[in-house]
Amino acid sequence: MAEIVTDILIVGGGPAGMMTGITAAQFSPHKKVLVIRPETDAVIPCGIPYIFGTLGGTDEDMAGRAPLLAAGGRLQIGAAQQIDRVAHTATLANGDVIRWERLVLATGAENFIPPIPGTGLEGVFSIRKDYDYLDTLFSTLIPQIKKLAIIGGGFIGVEFADEIRKRGIEVHIVEMLPHLMQAAFDPDACAAVEKQLRAHGVHIHTGARVEALLPDSGGKRVGQIQIAGQEALTVDAVLIAIGTRPQVALARDMGLTLSRSGGIWVDAFQRSREDPNIFAVGDCAHKQDFFTRKANHAMIASQAAAEGRIAGMNLYGLRQLRYNAGSVSIYASEIDGLAFGVAGLTQRQAELEGFPILVGETRLPDHHPASMPNTTEIYCRIIFAADSLQILGGQILGGATTGELVNTIGLAIQMHASAPDLASMQFGSQPRLTPSLHPLVAAAGDALRRHYEPLHPCVTGDPHA
């Protein structure tokens, strides 16, 4: 047993923990920064589905430790079993005791496994952020599969389906909601994703509730998936990709306040309610929506890293320039050339919340002229508040430019931009890189046209009257 002394102890080495460590080392260079995590080798969370298709192996999805070490932080392999927040000590599984001044919990999330019969059968698995586990899946389980059912049609389910079908495996997605991706996108965008998947041979079962997983003739391995009102679907394996829950066992044992949604309660600077010396970041921390302050369950690496930067800057004094204003929920993905992204509220979400809204839309090529090689059509929908004209959200269907367009929408939301702001936005244009008219400018202009039509009828009248 050893006793280790550090100034900043970060429990967890995923995107949130590592970014906290890097930022803390940069902003508090006189302080010792130590990250502890149980994994010797860590993977990039967003890249996990691509291990099984595009990347072709777990070693191609490794998250480096060099940025933390270069910033002056240290990394130790270990698992925290108990934390005494009064004594400021953490006891590891091997008996080592670490003394700290500031503590950051970045313990992540655990997969949600639904309470249906058969989830313990062989061949039933979920996706975990663990190198050895994923490497075993890639090298042992996946090569044996000819027919896979995926329970859950969110981002993980959709991305995994597209990647695993590239190995010649028959894939079925089973989703309880009427559409795939429905929690993140409006129905027309969901339908576009479904069409693209079907075009590549993925079988989609929506509005489908799984009643049980049934064993094969041997009794130990999964052989069928029973969907309510349908004949049992014969399969070789089942991936459960319904979602995750915050991993808060350490926080609960420490007596920290948990939100009703399950995460560790934190303020705008990621501090716990009980102790300003204890922070929480990433999937284990409570999230609030940017607009409504309701619980937000967006557990994505980019959000986790942003929270890590916030905590890292505020460990030894609050910096008002860096605080958590709420989750904007920025997502993007791609299926064989069709990219899709969303930031902020969808039209359906805004209407359900009660916002009077104004919608602007546009379709245009992402290069100019449209005859330029590799040109793809962009569909851009922007949602504004009808009273203030402030942007509430946006969705993109397109090609390679989709990711940065969605990030731009996310920035506009955080800057409280309005339709006039975006319609008059100055932008650069280059034939091989951009459209001639920026999609946000075009969509905002469309929204303003709709806004002014009832106020100024002459806008749509006979120009010669």
Side-chain angles (χ1 to χ4, degrees):
M1 183 183 77
E3 181 171 300
I4 302 166
V5 178
T6 190
D7 298 309
I8 300 166
L9 174 62
I10 301 164
V11 180
M18 295 298 276
M19 186 56 69
T20 303
I22 294 167
T23 308
Q26 292 171 340
F27 280 82
S28 301
H30 57 294
K31 297 291 186 179
K32 297 178 181 178
V33 178
L34 176 62
V35 176
I36 60 170
R37 71 181 187 201
E39 310 90 0
T40 302
D41 298 306
V43 296
I44 299 172
C46 297
I48 289 175
Y50 303 98
I51 290 172
F52 301 92
T54 300
L55 293 177
T58 314
D59 286 336
E60 307 304 318
D61 187 42
M62 301 302 295
R65 61 184 72 184
L68 173 69
L69 303 180
R74 293 191 300 127
L75 179 67
Q76 179 174 329
I77 307 305
Q81 284 193 330
Q82 183 180 13
I83 296 177
D84 187 328
R85 62 185 177 89
V86 176
H88 281 211
T89 59
T91 303
L92 306 187
N94 65 359
D96 289 352
V97 175
I98 302 176
R99 298 190 176 277
W100 46 268
E101 282 185 353
R102 299 289 187 272
L103 173 70
V104 183
L105 297 176
T107 48
E110 56 189 351
N111 291 324
F112 173 68
I113 305 299
I116 58 175
T119 57
L121 291 168
E122 294 177 9
V124 179
F125 65 101
S126 58
I127 297 298
R128 301 206 306 260
K129 302 169 189 177
D130 179 271
Y131 174 89
D132 292 334
Y133 173 81
L134 293 170
D135 200 49
T136 300
L137 282 182
F138 179 81
S139 60
T140 304
L141 177 62
I142 300 301
Q144 302 175 12
I145 297 175
K146 295 182 178 179
K147 190 173 182 179
L148 171 71
I150 300 173
I151 302 177
F155 273 88
I156 291 294
V158 165
E159 291 175 347
F160 196 92
D162 184 51
E163 288 298 308
I164 206 73
R165 61 93 185 164
K166 295 174 182 177
R167 300 173 66 96
I169 296 171
E170 181 179 327
V171 181
H172 293 252
I173 303 178
V174 183
E175 170 57 53
M176 188 165 60
L177 295 175
H179 287 287
L180 305 183
M181 314 291 293
Q182 186 170 318
F185 287 90
D186 283 320
D188 54 345
C190 299
V193 173
E194 292 164 0
K195 181 180 178 180
Q196 188 78 345
L197 285 169
R198 288 192 175 102
H200 290 88
V202 176
H203 303 267
I204 298 173
H205 310 259
T206 52
R209 180 173 57 86
V210 177
E211 292 184 324
L213 304 180
L214 308 174
D216 62 8
S217 57
K220 293 183 178 181
R221 186 177 181 85
V222 67
Q224 292 181 317
I225 177 170
Q226 181 63 62
I227 301 172
Q230 300 182 24
E231 291 186 9
L233 177 67
T234 300
V235 295
D236 300 314
V238 174
L239 165 63
I240 298 177
I242 293 179
T244 57
R245 299 292 184 270
Q247 177 61 267
V248 294
L250 278 174
R252 185 184 294 112
D253 292 344
M254 293 165 62
L256 298 183
T257 297
L258 305 181
S259 68
R260 280 181 288 184
S261 62
I264 302 167
W265 187 95
V266 291
D267 65 12
F269 301 93
Q270 304 301 132
R271 298 178 301 181
S272 68
R273 184 186 295 269
E274 282 70 26
D275 192 332
N277 298 315
I278 299 176
F279 295 66
V281 294
D283 291 353
C284 69
H286 176 62
K287 313 261 184 297
Q288 290 182 304
D289 180 76
F290 181 85
F291 295 103
T292 66
R293 298 298 184 265
K294 289 183 178 180
N296 181 295
H297 302 285
M299 294 186 180
I300 47 181
S302 56
Q303 176 75 27
E307 293 174 9
R309 291 191 293 271
I310 291 166
M313 287 182 63
N314 290 290
L315 291 172
Y316 286 94
L318 300 188
R319 294 176 169 88
Q320 185 65 26
L321 294 177
R322 173 66 75 176
Y323 69 98
N324 193 338
S327 177
V328 177
S329 301
I330 305 171
Y331 302 89
S333 191
E334 185 260 356
I335 298 173
D336 198 36
L338 174 66
F340 43 97
V342 62
L345 299 176
T346 66
Q347 180 175 342
R348 181 174 179 274
Q349 290 166 348
E351 290 171 341
L352 288 174
E353 288 294 347
F355 286 105
I357 62 170
L358 179 68
V359 178
E361 300 175 291
T362 190
R363 292 183 184 273
L364 43 76
D366 62 357
H367 301 100
H368 67 281
S371 56
M372 188 69 70
N374 303 315
T375 296
T376 303
E377 182 184 73
I378 299 171
Y379 170 67
C380 176
R381 171 187 287 163
I382 307 295
I383 314 300
F384 298 96
D387 49 3
S388 66
L389 298 183
Q390 180 179 326
I391 186 171
L392 299 177
Q395 295 179 68
I396 301 288
L397 290 172
T401 58
T402 295
E404 285 310 309
L405 286 173
V406 169
N407 284 337
T408 304
I409 295 172
L411 177 61
I413 292 170
Q414 294 169 74
M415 298 298 292
H416 306 281
S418 68
D421 292 332
L422 295 177
S424 59
M425 178 178 74
Q426 298 183 36
F427 60 91
S429 179
Q430 205 283 334
R432 288 185 175 273
L433 303 177
T434 69
S436 59
L437 177 60
H438 197 288
L440 269 66
V441 173
D446 181 59
L448 287 177
R449 176 187 59 78
R450 300 181 193 213
H451 174 68
Y452 285 121
E453 275 181 359
L455 302 177
H456 303 284
C458 63
V459 170
T460 56
D462 184 348
H464 302 292

